[in-house]
Amino acid sequence: MLRGARKRAGMTQGQLAEISTVSIRAIRDLELDRTGSPRLQTVRLLADALRLNGARRAELEAAAGTTATRSLHDDLPAPPAPLSPPLAREEETSSLVGVLRSTGHRLVRVVGAPGVGKTALVQNVASELHRTRLVPVIFLERSEALPGTGPHGSARRLLSRVADVVGCAATVDEVAGRLAADEVLLVVDDRDLDDRDHRDLRGLLRLCRTLRVLMESCDAAPGRAGEITFTLFPLDVPEWDPRACDTAAAVDSPVTRYMLSRCALLYPAEVSSPQTVAAIAGVCWLLDGIPSALESAASWLLIYEPTELLRMAQASPARLVMPPSRTDAPLVVWMRDALASLPPLQLDALRRLVDARPWTVSDAVTLLAGSVTDAESAVHVLRARGLVRRVASAHGGGQRFVVLNLVRHLVHSEFGTSSPARGVPVAWAGLRDVQPLTS
């Protein structure tokens, strides 16, 4: 029956294997009736690739026999799908899916600043793996309670939550035994886990060799042994100069186009004007392409037009990070804590790089007047903490970086350093004023 369906579709075994992700050998064994108990997941992948529906699909599944193995995938609820795909995160989604499908990468931690888009990315990756039936996904949604407690204070450990999903006793041995028959992806939020949960998670990984874990975290510190860290950075936005904004480049940016679409809801007549495009491009640049910051800025459009919003962002980008109805901004709190936790040498380096135009590591060596090793260490720490971001580089040139505009604003306000000259783009100001870093 499988051979007939394949020939009607005009496919070779190789083509069917490529589309279905089932190996050629498995397809050949099925067509030659060498597989006594085909897995239901395998049969469904083949039916999807052959575009079988209705009676033909039911016929093929029935032909697989009543002994077809039911995979864990068939019993798990689908992960929560994001309301919209992560903005301009196609490359990150593809890369993270590839990491999770690679052998050996079993514990992946997604880190980044609050509001950079970690939750949406994790949801999108989990939905993609579940939808394509590549890996069964156990998705533990973020709990508002303290680690290890339920909504009413009762114990809600990691093992209990996973055991509820797969239907077994809440012990490491029982849960590992239930998961051992399938490749499984467990999605958790590090903020829900305490030390005991981490020990149980290590136990599951040790006992269940087919288990993979995708963990969301705001902690940019080096991970535990065996972890792969996937750092999510702000979105790429075109460099902006108030004296000569390249509106064509701005419109080509997915981030700017998204913000213009939000602007069009309130200012449909002005949204295509060069002044509006330049203003929105400036807001995107000054807010560093951080999704949550852009969403907050869009809420201000209800009471301020784009050019007014740009002036606000130039005066105080941190003000736009939270909507008018709120008085706290987790992103600003996180950045302030990140600055406070920097070692003295790295903090001093940040203060001396904060107003420099886009710089390479070689430029940083000159600006800091220290050794190459010290400059590399400082830039690496600042990059890992999410306090600097990469900007477009010339082909074949070194990577260029700038300190986040939001960080720059905090450094000036917290440490009382001088602000750049009026009218000069923040990321390009003060290069000649940076003094060497002395020992």
Side-chain angles (χ1 to χ4, degrees):
M1 186 173 293
L2 177 61
R3 186 189 303 113
R6 175 175 61 79
K7 289 185 174 181
R8 283 195 300 273
M11 293 185 190
T12 64
Q13 289 179 341
Q15 289 169 331
L16 179 56
E18 184 175 356
I19 295 173
S20 67
T21 71
V22 177
S23 69
I24 295 179
R25 179 176 178 178
I27 294 172
R28 184 182 302 116
D29 287 347
L30 284 169
E31 291 191 358
L32 295 174
D33 201 21
R34 293 174 179 168
T35 304
S37 180
R39 294 181 61 183
L40 185 59
Q41 180 181 356
T42 299
V43 177
R44 287 178 172 174
L45 284 171
L46 292 169
D48 289 342
L50 293 167
R51 297 186 177 182
L52 298 181
N53 294 304
R56 286 191 182 275
R57 186 185 187 95
E59 220 175 8
L60 182 67
E61 291 184 4
T66 56
T67 59
T69 304
R70 185 176 180 84
S71 73
L72 185 62
H73 186 288
D74 301 301
D75 298 320
L76 292 175
L83 296 179
S84 58
L87 177 62
R89 294 295 193 192
E90 294 82 3
E91 291 183 2
E92 289 90 341
T93 298
S94 176
S95 178
L96 191 49
V97 167
V99 167
L100 291 168
R101 289 293 297 158
S102 300
T103 57
H105 297 107
R106 301 184 56 216
L107 179 53
V108 180
R109 193 163 60 104
V110 179
V111 303
V116 80
K118 299 185 300 296
T119 299
L121 177 66
V122 166
Q123 287 182 340
N124 204 49
V125 168
S127 296
E128 178 71 12
L129 289 170
H130 181 87
R131 181 185 62 81
T132 56
R133 307 183 72 86
L134 291 175
V135 179
V137 177
I138 298 175
F139 195 103
L140 302 183
E141 294 197 59
R142 173 82 171 104
S143 171
E144 296 301 326
L146 294 174
T149 64
H152 306 293
S154 57
R156 289 297 297 158
R157 296 287 176 185
L158 170 71
L159 280 178
S160 298
R161 299 179 69 190
V162 177
D164 285 348
V165 175
V166 300
C168 68
T171 67
V172 172
D173 289 339
E174 289 287 337
V175 173
R178 181 70 179 90
L179 301 179
D182 296 89
E183 286 190 40
V184 180
L185 174 66
L186 173 62
V187 181
V188 296
D189 193 306
D190 193 33
R191 292 168 292 182
D192 285 339
L193 309 182
D194 58 15
D195 290 341
R196 177 178 165 183
D197 292 323
H198 280 290
R199 287 195 299 271
D200 290 338
L201 186 59
R202 292 282 171 175
L204 288 177
L205 287 166
R206 185 177 64 255
L207 294 174
C208 186
R209 305 299 298 177
T210 58
L211 175 65
R212 292 180 174 86
V213 177
L214 178 60
M215 182 185 299
E216 179 184 343
S217 175
C218 282
D219 185 7
R224 298 172 179 84
E227 289 186 3
I228 298 296
T229 299
F230 189 99
T231 305
L232 194 62
F233 295 106
L235 297 164
D236 290 332
V237 290
E239 293 180 41
W240 174 78
D241 185 336
R243 297 165 299 191
C245 176
D246 186 348
T247 55
V251 172
D252 283 341
S253 164
V255 179
T256 311
R257 286 201 303 270
Y258 170 75
M259 285 296 288
L260 286 171
S261 71
R262 296 292 302 273
C263 183
L265 299 175
L266 296 169
Y267 304 96
E270 296 90 0
V271 72
S272 59
S273 71
Q275 294 82 2
T276 299
V277 173
I280 292 298
V283 170
C284 292
W285 169 257
L286 292 168
L287 296 184
D288 301 301
I290 299 175
S292 67
L294 297 175
E295 285 294 336
S296 296
S299 69
W300 285 91
L301 287 168
L302 194 62
I303 56 176
Y304 291 114
E305 62 182 22
T307 52
E308 293 176 299
L309 206 64
L310 174 61
R311 285 195 290 270
M312 291 173 61
Q314 289 175 298
S316 174
R319 184 184 176 193
L320 294 183
V321 167
M322 53 185 163
S325 57
R326 292 189 59 179
T327 57
D328 64 317
L331 177 60
V332 174
V333 172
W334 179 88
M335 286 183 173
R336 187 174 284 116
D337 290 343
L339 289 172
S341 66
L342 281 177
L345 283 179
Q346 277 75 28
L347 180 58
D348 199 13
L350 176 67
R351 293 176 63 181
R352 296 177 184 280
L353 292 170
V354 72
D355 288 324
R357 66 173 65 196
W359 40 267
T360 65
V361 174
S362 297
D363 295 331
V365 174
T366 302
L367 292 168
L368 302 179
S371 68
V372 174
T373 301
D374 289 343
E376 289 174 340
S377 175
V379 174
H380 188 274
V381 169
L382 297 177
R383 177 74 166 147
R385 298 286 181 95
L387 301 176
V388 304
R389 66 182 178 87
R390 188 173 60 184
V391 297
S393 304
H395 181 68
Q399 288 193 60
R400 298 190 305 155
F401 305 95
V402 291
V403 176
L404 296 185
N405 286 299
L406 287 165
V407 172
R408 169 201 159 273
H409 172 76
L410 286 176
V411 169
H412 286 312
S413 60
E414 298 288 332
F415 298 103
T417 56
S418 59
S419 298
R422 183 175 180 84
V424 178
V426 252
W428 288 77
L431 174 64
R432 290 170 294 184
D433 299 327
V434 178
Q435 300 299 315
L437 179 64
T438 59
S439 59

